[in-house]
Structure formats: structure tokens, C-alpha cells
Amino acid sequence: MNHWIILPVVLPSIMAPFIVLAARHDIVLQRVFGIASCAIVAAVAIGLFLLAGDGVIRPYELGDWPAPFGIVLVLDRLSALMVLLCAILALVVVLYAAQGWDERGRHFHALFQFQLMGLNGAFLTGDVFNLFVFFEVLLIASYGLMLHGAGARRITEGLKYVAINLAGSTLFLFAVGLLYGLTGTLNMADLAQRVPQVPDSELGLVRLAGTLLLIVFAIKGALVPLHLWLPGTYAAAAPPVAALFAIMTKVGAYAILRVYVLIFGGAAGGAAWLAAPWVLPAAAATLALGMIGVLASRTLTTLAVYALIGSVGMLLLAVGLFDEHGTAAALYYLAHSTLAGAALFLLADLVARRRGGVGDRLVPAPRFAQLDLLAGLFFLAAIAAVGLPPISGFVGKLLILEALGGHPRWPWLWGLVLGGSLIAMIGFSRAGSVVFWRPLADPHPPESDRPRHDTVGLCATTALVAAPVLLALFAGPAMRVMDATARQLYTPARYIEAVLGSGVDLAGTQP
């Protein structure tokens, strides 16, 4: 077995308690260990991504217990891509947070490592129950990160966040219990074989379990109408925390792809393509809400929040097609929207810290330090978020429009995507003109409002803004990777054979 596969889960799980026990009174040591851990995980993630590029699906059986009886992690192209994206984002965010945000509350770096552990575990696990376990790990860590720095608003929004996600966890347990009772297994590969064998008399319960899982994943992905927890939570969270949370909604999208292609795909009999009728309409509503929210935003942070919601809708429009072409486009857009969304949160913080009491509100204010630099970064980030050429947002939306072209209602979907982009462009143009284009007469903000020692934070934000540019420059190689990932995902027989040693063909058909 290749033991590197488990390192993105094990290293953060060891580093988190180590930071609490050995460095809780020394913020410098916490930063050193936290950043070093994220850097190592990023290096390992790059290696795993290159390893998965040969197309071989590699299971990792903990304790050498064979699947489906033991715990198994699975490295394929999709899980490697998600781990790499998570590792890159985590490294950039922890560098940004080390400029002072990590001092505003206790145990930031330990919670950050637990969050990283939960995210990587969710992407690598090959078992539905352990998907629940890793969901709980990342959610518990996110509760602490959400409240980092305290404050009445964070506590209020944090309570809502905890309550809604606890309800989602309860539904997850119900679904897991139903699936285990009906099939006798929770291993994903084994479920893919056993769900089609469930007798017709129990098919309704299988569909109920699948529907409950879809509700849970929709909560995680913030799909309308299950999105209500997200706007207040992300707007109230510390900016680096909100930037890391940009990948949290993608966990829901990943889970939908993994579960509803592998387990409830074309070979699932009466439960085949269970999610297909629901995802596309919910995604369309999510996209519309997000774009309207961008137009109505009164702060840069709220603008970033609703741009993120809109990107979730755009992403799941392509996912909801449940075919190779749509999924490849969705994966490209997923990488773009995660990095661009995180950049917006960090930019909002950089601007707020320089505008004194005005903060990031969309009202005119005096010129502030580094206005021209931040205006340029915001311009690039806005182009990326809206989807204008030549940055990767445009490429991603073009690919999604092409994938949607085969849908019976493609004119309506195209109108929604293009209309939403127009609304978003108006919203971002309004925000940029108010904050950067029309400063008030006073050219000298108070010295106390000037930021200090944030060079690393600027570099981290610049790296995130540059990522969509690079993704556009290398769109050809990136799409070859996404196409290969989608082909592998829609050939579940290879996954099942790798995990269980079965040669059963469960490739299925498209919806």
C-alpha cells in the first residue's frame, strides 16, 4: 500500500493536539507548526495528484482489513484533485491568518488543522459512514473557527450555523442507518453492487435514504432553499476563516458527484439517478439568488458571500446534468470558483483595514493606503467572479454553457447564466466604483488606520487572485485533466474493482 495516501489526514490530526499541548502559549510556535503542516500537506497533495494521473485507482486499507469490512480510503483522480485544491487554499489562508488574525482568539491553528483533517478525509474516504465522521470533524472545527474572535454577531450567527448543521447531521445518521439496514454495508463500492439488488418492496426506503443524503449534501453545498445558514455565517466569520470556508460548499458538490454517480448511478435500478430531477432546478434558483444578492450587497464581504452562493449554483448546474461533459466543466469551474471566492474575502479584509471606521461598506471614503494596488486586485477578482474574458471564470462559464446546450431547456438555462452574469457585472462595477473610483477629498487617512506588517497577507491575496489567471493560461492542460477525471468517475466498475476486486460492470447509462 502507498502510505502517502493517508498522510493528508494523519498529519493534521497529529499536529492539532500537538499545537494545543506543546505550543498553546506561544503564538509564534503555533504559526510555525501550523504553516509547516499545511506546506507538507500541500507537497504531499501535489505528489498524490501526479500519482493519480496514471488513471490507477488506489485503495488504502487501514490495518490491512479488506474492504468492505475495514476502513478504506481511495485515491482516484477526483479525490486527488479535491485534496490538492484544499491543500493549496489552506496554505495560502494560514499564511494570511498568521499576520494577526490568529491572535484574536484561542486555538486558531489547532482548529485549522482539524478542519484540514476533516476536509481531506471527506475527499478520500471510500465509506459512507466515515464520510459522516469526517463531516462531523470538519463541522466541529468550523464551529470553533466561526466563533474565532468572538463578538455578539458571530455568536448569534454561529448558533444558527450549529443548529442547522446539527439537524443535517441527524438526517445523515438516519440515512446511514437506513442504508445499512437495507444493504448490510456502508462501503461505497459495496453499496454500488448491493443497491441494485434491493427487492422492490424495499425500494422506497432506499430512495428515502438517498433523498435524505441529498438534503444533507444540499445543506453543505448551500443549495436553495437550504442555504439560509450561509450568508450570515460567512459574513460574520473572520475573513481568513470565510476564505477557507469557500471550499466547504464544494464538499457538498463533491459528495453529490461521488454518491449519486457511484451508488445511485445508472446501474442502481429503481433508484438510478435519484438526484437528477432535483439538483438542476435547485442550482438554477441558487444562481439567481446569488446574483441578485451581489447586486443588493452593501459591503464587500456580503458581495463575496453572494458571489460564492451564485458560484455554487453555476457549479451545480453542470453537476446536475450527470454526464461526463457537464462534470468536466463543473470540475474546472469548481477549482476556479473556490480560489476566486476566497480571494474576494481576503480582499474585503485588506480594504476594510485601510478605510478606518468605514470598513468595507459600499460608501465613499477618503483615499487609503495602497488604493491603486488593491483596486487592480479587485478588478481582476471581479472579472474572475463575474466570468468575463480572458480569466478562467469566462472559460468555465463557456464550458458550462456548452454542456447545457444538450439539455431540453437549454434556452432558459442559458438565459439564466448570461442574465446572472450581467447582474453580477453591474453589482461588482457598482462596488468597485464606490470604493476605488470615487474617493472623498481627504488624501491622508489617520495613521492609526494604516495597516502594518501585512506584506505576507498581500502576497497571499495576490496569489489567490493570480490563480484564475494561471488557470486560464493553462486551460487546455487543465481541461484534459478534468476530462480524464470525469471519464474515470463515470466508469464506476473500475472503482469497484479497485476497492473490492470485483469485475462487475456497473458503468450504467446517462440520465
Side-chain angles (χ1 to χ4, degrees):
M1 287 191 296
N2 190 322
H3 295 289
W4 291 103
I5 294 173
I6 200 173
L7 193 61
V9 180
V10 168
L11 181 59
S13 70
I14 294 174
M15 190 60 69
F18 177 80
I19 289 174
V20 172
L21 294 173
R24 66 180 179 272
H25 299 303
D26 191 329
I27 189 63
V28 175
L29 282 179
Q30 291 179 41
R31 289 169 178 169
V32 169
F33 290 127
I35 293 171
S37 175
C38 290
I40 294 171
V41 170
V44 171
I46 293 172
L48 293 177
F49 180 76
L50 296 174
L51 180 65
D54 62 5
V56 176
I57 298 174
R58 294 173 172 83
Y60 184 91
E61 297 171 343
L62 276 73
D64 277 340
W65 284 91
F69 307 106
I71 297 173
V72 62
L73 304 179
V74 183
L75 180 73
D76 64 356
R77 290 180 183 272
L78 180 58
S79 59
L81 173 65
M82 298 304 297
V83 169
L84 176 62
L85 182 62
C86 178
I88 292 172
L89 179 62
L91 180 58
V92 173
V93 170
V94 78
L95 287 169
Y96 187 95
Q99 304 308 297
W101 274 105
D102 55 351
E103 294 182 282
R104 303 193 183 192
R106 301 188 62 187
H107 306 309
F108 176 88
H109 289 281
L111 290 168
F112 195 94
Q113 293 298 307
F114 276 128
Q115 179 87 0
L116 188 57
M117 170 197 171
L119 288 166
N120 288 334
F123 296 139
L124 287 167
T125 187
D127 184 279
V128 174
F129 181 77
N130 288 305
L131 181 63
F132 165 77
V133 171
F134 285 119
F135 267 34
E136 292 309 296
V137 171
L138 69 90
L139 284 173
I140 291 170
S142 72
Y143 299 154
L145 289 173
M146 163 62 200
L147 297 174
H148 179 75
R153 185 185 177 195
R154 282 189 190 136
I155 293 173
T156 300
E157 296 298 337
L159 287 173
K160 297 177 186 176
Y161 176 60
V162 170
I164 292 174
N165 280 280
L166 283 177
S169 298
T170 304
L171 293 178
F172 205 157
L173 274 180
F174 288 162
V176 166
L178 269 175
L179 280 177
Y180 187 74
L182 293 166
T183 63
T185 185
L186 289 173
N187 180 277
M188 291 183 187
D190 205 23
L191 278 169
Q193 288 188 321
R194 297 199 183 195
V195 165
Q197 301 170 4
V198 172
D200 291 343
S201 60
E202 296 178 345
L203 185 59
L205 291 175
V206 170
R207 293 179 64 85
L208 174 60
T211 303
L212 289 176
L213 285 177
L214 182 60
I215 292 172
V216 173
F217 300 152
I219 291 174
K220 309 303 180 192
L223 272 175
V224 171
L226 302 172
H227 71 290
L228 297 176
W229 61 272
L230 190 147
T233 299
Y234 280 40
V241 172
L244 180 65
F245 283 7
I247 201 169
M248 291 270 283
T249 53
K250 310 310 185 291
V251 177
Y254 166 84
I256 289 173
L257 272 176
R258 179 68 76 189
V259 170
Y260 294 96
V261 174
L262 177 61
I263 301 174
F264 297 102
W273 304 117
L274 183 64
W278 305 102
V279 173
L280 203 63
T286 304
L287 173 60
L289 175 76
M291 296 304 97
I292 293 171
V294 166
L295 186 62
S297 296
R298 296 186 177 183
T299 68
L300 287 177
T301 300
T302 306
L303 187 83
V305 168
Y306 281 99
L308 183 64
I309 292 175
S311 73
V312 170
M314 182 70 67
L315 167 65
L316 287 167
L317 277 180
V319 169
L321 296 173
F322 288 105
D323 61 22
E324 288 185 20
H325 194 188
T327 297
L331 293 176
Y332 182 90
Y333 189 80
L334 184 151
H336 153 80
S337 60
T338 301
L339 298 172
L344 285 173
F345 285 110
L346 299 189
L347 272 171
D349 179 52
L350 290 174
V351 171
R353 288 161 54 194
R354 286 159 171 76
R355 297 180 86 208
V358 177
D360 67 339
R361 286 182 291 137
L362 300 184
V363 295
R367 288 185 61 89
F368 51 87
Q370 300 172 316
L371 182 145
D372 294 337
L373 172 61
L374 291 176
L377 292 176
F378 180 82
F379 179 68
L380 289 175
I383 289 176
V386 172
L388 296 177
I391 301 182
S392 58
F394 173 74
V395 178
K397 286 191 177 182
L398 198 62
L399 291 167
I400 291 174
L401 287 172
E402 184 182 3
L404 291 172
H407 193 274
R409 294 184 174 86
W410 71 266
W412 294 98
L413 296 174
W414 275 40
L416 177 64
V417 171
L418 297 175
S421 298
L422 176 62
I423 292 172
M425 183 173 65
I426 295 171
F428 273 94
S429 299
R430 165 178 164 266
S433 64
V434 170
V435 175
F436 301 105
W437 190 256
R438 296 183 298 180
L440 298 180
D442 183 7
H444 301 293
E447 185 66 29
S448 61
D449 290 338
R450 292 183 183 273
R452 299 178 181 179
H453 310 300
D454 65 348
T455 302
V456 175
L458 270 171
C459 291
T461 306
T462 302
L464 285 179
V465 173
V469 178
L470 294 175
L471 198 56
L473 289 174
F474 296 97
M479 275 310 299
R480 285 193 288 272
V481 170
M482 304 312 177
D483 286 334
T485 303
R487 281 195 302 272
Q488 188 182 69
L489 178 66
Y490 283 89
T491 314
R494 295 176 59 190
Y495 185 100
I496 296 167
E497 185 176 1
V499 175
L500 301 177
S502 169
V504 177
D505 183 8
L506 292 177
T509 58
Q510 304 304 330

